[in-house]
C-alpha cells in the first residue's frame, strides 16, 4: 500500500477516454442543434488532446506515458493501456507517423513477440493485470488503434495481432470448451490466464465481443495453418449483410485441403449481420445469432 499513488498519477488511458467522450458529446450537441454545447465540448476535447500530447507524450520514449505530478516524471515502464490515444484518436492529427513511433516503443520491449497476444505489462507480480496475462479489451484497443491509422505498416500489424488473438482464443476454446476473461500470452500452447484475487472466469462478455468484432473485420483475410485434427471438419454458412444492404455468404473455417483451412468469403471487408457457426463444437458458435454493428 505504501507504493500506491493514485491521486498523484495522471493516467494516459483515462485522459484519452475523456477526450473521446468529449468528442461524442460534441457530436450529440450538433445533432440536436445545441451550438453552445457543441462549442463547449469541442473546447474540452481540444484541451484534453493538448494535455495528452504535451504533458503525457514522451518524445524520447516515443509513446504516451502516465505522469506523476509529485516528482514530475513519466513512468517509462511498458503498459499496453498507453495505446489508448491511438484507439480514441486523441493525438496530434497531422502526425501521421505517430503509430510508427508507438510500434518502435513496443518493439523495444519485445512485446510483439509473444505467441498468443500482447502482454498487459512485463511485471510478473502474480497480479491479474500483469504478465503473463493478455486481456481482450487491451488487445482490441491496440489492434483498432493500429487499424484505424493511415499507416500501412500499422494496419498490417493490426491484422497480425488480430489473427494471433483469434487463434489463441480458438485453441483455448477447443481445449476447454469455454471462452475466458483473459489468456496467458507467454506459452507455446495458449491457456486461460491466471493471478489476482480470484480464479480466472469463464464466459466471457468482453472476450466474446472482441472476437466477434475481429471476425467481422477480418473474416475475409484470416487464414490458419494447422492439422485437421485440431479443427472441426464440419461447417455451416450464413448470410452477412453489408453496409450497402447486400447479402453475401460467409464460410467459416472451411477445409481447404488435408493440411490447411482458411476463413473465406466474397463479402465486403466491413459487414453487419450474423456470423455463422462452425460445426457442432466450432469456435464460431459464440457468434451465432448475435448482431454485429458497423462503424
Amino acid at each position: 500500500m505504501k507504493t500506491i499513488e493514485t491521486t498523484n498519477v495522471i493516467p494516459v488511458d483515462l485522459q484519452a477516454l475523456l477526450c473521446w467522450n468529449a468528442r461524442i458529446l460534441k457530436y450529440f450537441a450538433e445533432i440536436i442543434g445545441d451550438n453552445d454545447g457543441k462549442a463547449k465540448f469541442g473546447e474540452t476535447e481540444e484541451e484534453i488532446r493538448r494535455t495528452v500530447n504535451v504533458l503525457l507524450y514522451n518524445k524520447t520514449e516515443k509513446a504516451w506515458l502516465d505522469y506523476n505530478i509529485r516528482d514530475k516524471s513519466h513512468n517509462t515502464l511498458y503498459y499496453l493501456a498507453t495505446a489508448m490515444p491511438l484507439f480514441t484518436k486523441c493525438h496530434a492529427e497531422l502526425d501521421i507517423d505517430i503509430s510508427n513511433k508507438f510500434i518502435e516503443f513496443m518493439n523495444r520491449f519485445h512485446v510483439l513477440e509473444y505467441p498468443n497476444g500482447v502482454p498487459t505489462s512485463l511485471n510478473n507480480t502474480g497480479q491479474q493485470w500483469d504478465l503473463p496475462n493478455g486481456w481482450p479489451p487491451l488487445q482490441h484497443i491496440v489492434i483498432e488503434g493500429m487499424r484505424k491509422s493511415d499507416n500501412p505498416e500499422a494496419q498490417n500489424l493490426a491484422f497480425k495481432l488480430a489473427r494471433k488473438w483469434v487463434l489463441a482464443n480458438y485453441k483455448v476454446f477447443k481445449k476447454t470448451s469455454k471462452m475466458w476473461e483473459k489468456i496467458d500470452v507467454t506459452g507455446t500452447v495458449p491457456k486461460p490466464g491466471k493471478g489476482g484475487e480470484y480464479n480466472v472466469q469463464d464466459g466471457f462478455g468482453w472476450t466474446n465481443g472482441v472476437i466477434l468484432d475481429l471476425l467481422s473485420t477480418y473474416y475475409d483475410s484470416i487464414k490458419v495453418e494447422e492439422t485437421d485434427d485440431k479443427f472441426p471438419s464440419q461447417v455451416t454458412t450464413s448470410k452477412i449483410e453489408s453496409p450497402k444492404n447486400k447479402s453475401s455468404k460467409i464460410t467459416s473455417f472451411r477445409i481447404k485441403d488435408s493440411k490447411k483451412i482458411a476463413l473465406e468469403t466474397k463479402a465486403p471487408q466491413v459487414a453487419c449481420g450474423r456470423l455463422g457457426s462452425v460445426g457442432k463444437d466450432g469456435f464460431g458458435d459464440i457468434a451465432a445469432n448475435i448482431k454485429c454493428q458497423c462503424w
Side-chain angles (χ1 to χ4, degrees), residues 62-79:
K62 299 181 180 180
W64 302 275
L65 301 171
D66 293 348
Y67 187 80
N68 190 308
I69 60 177
R70 178 183 56 80
D71 58 19
K72 296 180 173 55
S73 67
H74 289 113
N75 182 351
T76 57
L77 297 177
Y78 160 81
Y79 292 97

Side-chain angles (χ1 to χ4, degrees), residues 20-293:
W20 195 21
N21 285 344
R23 188 183 314 137
I24 293 170
L25 291 171
K26 179 180 69 174
Y27 172 71
F28 286 159
E30 182 178 12
I31 288 177
I32 64 175
D34 181 1
N35 292 328
D36 290 341
K38 177 183 176 182
K40 172 186 175 182
F41 291 119
E43 291 173 1
T44 300
E45 178 190 1
E46 288 307 312
E47 181 179 353
I48 299 173
R49 188 194 305 273
R50 285 194 298 271
T51 299
V52 168
N53 291 284
V54 174
L55 181 63
L56 302 183
Y57 192 79
N58 186 302
K59 293 181 180 180
T60 301
E61 297 295 330
K62 299 181 180 180
W64 302 275
L65 301 171
D66 293 348
Y67 187 80
N68 190 308
I69 60 177
R70 178 183 56 80
D71 58 19
K72 296 180 173 55
S73 67
H74 289 113
N75 182 351
T76 57
L77 297 177
Y78 160 81
Y79 292 97
L80 186 55
T82 58
M84 187 67 79
L86 281 178
F87 177 72
T88 65
K89 288 188 172 292
C90 186
H91 54 75
E93 294 183 357
L94 297 180
D95 191 351
I96 60 176
D97 197 39
I98 197 72
S99 54
N100 263 341
K101 295 174 182 176
F102 197 79
I103 292 173
E104 288 182 33
F105 172 73
M106 291 193 292
N107 279 332
R108 280 204 308 278
F109 291 97
H110 304 285
V111 295
L112 300 177
E113 300 171 14
Y114 285 82
N116 304 312
V118 186
T120 304
S121 83
L122 295 179
N123 306 317
N124 201 343
T125 63
Q127 297 301 312
Q128 61 176 347
W129 288 95
D130 281 320
L131 202 68
N133 294 325
W135 289 82
L138 293 178
Q139 308 297 315
H140 191 249
I141 285 166
V142 71
I143 290 169
E144 279 294 285
M146 294 292 175
R147 185 186 69 83
K148 293 188 294 186
S149 75
D150 296 324
N151 178 1
E153 181 180 348
Q155 293 170 359
N156 186 51
L157 175 61
F159 167 71
K160 291 179 179 179
L161 294 177
R163 179 182 181 275
K164 182 185 293 187
W165 185 250
V166 168
L167 295 184
N169 279 268
Y170 176 78
K171 291 176 181 179
V172 174
F173 176 82
K174 285 292 293 180
K175 184 176 181 179
T176 66
S177 298
K178 294 179 180 179
M179 301 294 286
W180 298 88
E181 64 169 349
K182 53 185 178 280
I183 294 292
D184 184 333
V185 302
T186 62
T188 54
V189 178
K191 58 185 177 181
K194 60 183 179 181
E197 65 275 15
Y198 59 85
N199 293 330
V200 60
Q201 300 294 298
D202 62 79
F204 195 89
W206 59 27
T207 308
N208 299 343
V210 168
I211 292 297
L212 283 170
D213 189 69
L214 296 180
L215 289 177
S216 177
T217 301
Y218 293 111
Y219 63 77
D220 62 344
S221 305
I222 291 179
K223 296 182 179 180
V224 294
E225 297 185 5
E226 293 287 350
T227 56
D228 289 348
D229 58 1
K230 292 184 180 180
F231 294 90
S233 58
Q234 296 179 344
V235 299
T236 60
T237 62
S238 65
K239 294 286 183 81
I240 286 186
E241 295 296 326
S242 75
K244 296 181 180 179
N245 296 320
K246 293 181 179 179
S247 296
S248 300
K249 183 177 288 188
I250 178 172
T251 302
S252 301
F253 295 108
R254 185 170 67 84
I255 299 298
K256 287 285 287 183
D257 54 41
S258 61
K259 294 295 183 181
K260 299 180 181 180
I261 64 175
L263 187 62
E264 291 191 339
T265 181
K266 295 182 180 179
Q269 185 166 352
V270 179
C272 300
R274 299 178 185 273
L275 295 174
S277 60
V278 185
K280 62 181 180 180
D281 65 340
F283 185 59
D285 287 343
I286 66 166
N289 300 319
I290 298 178
K291 290 285 186 179
C292 299
Q293 188 170 2

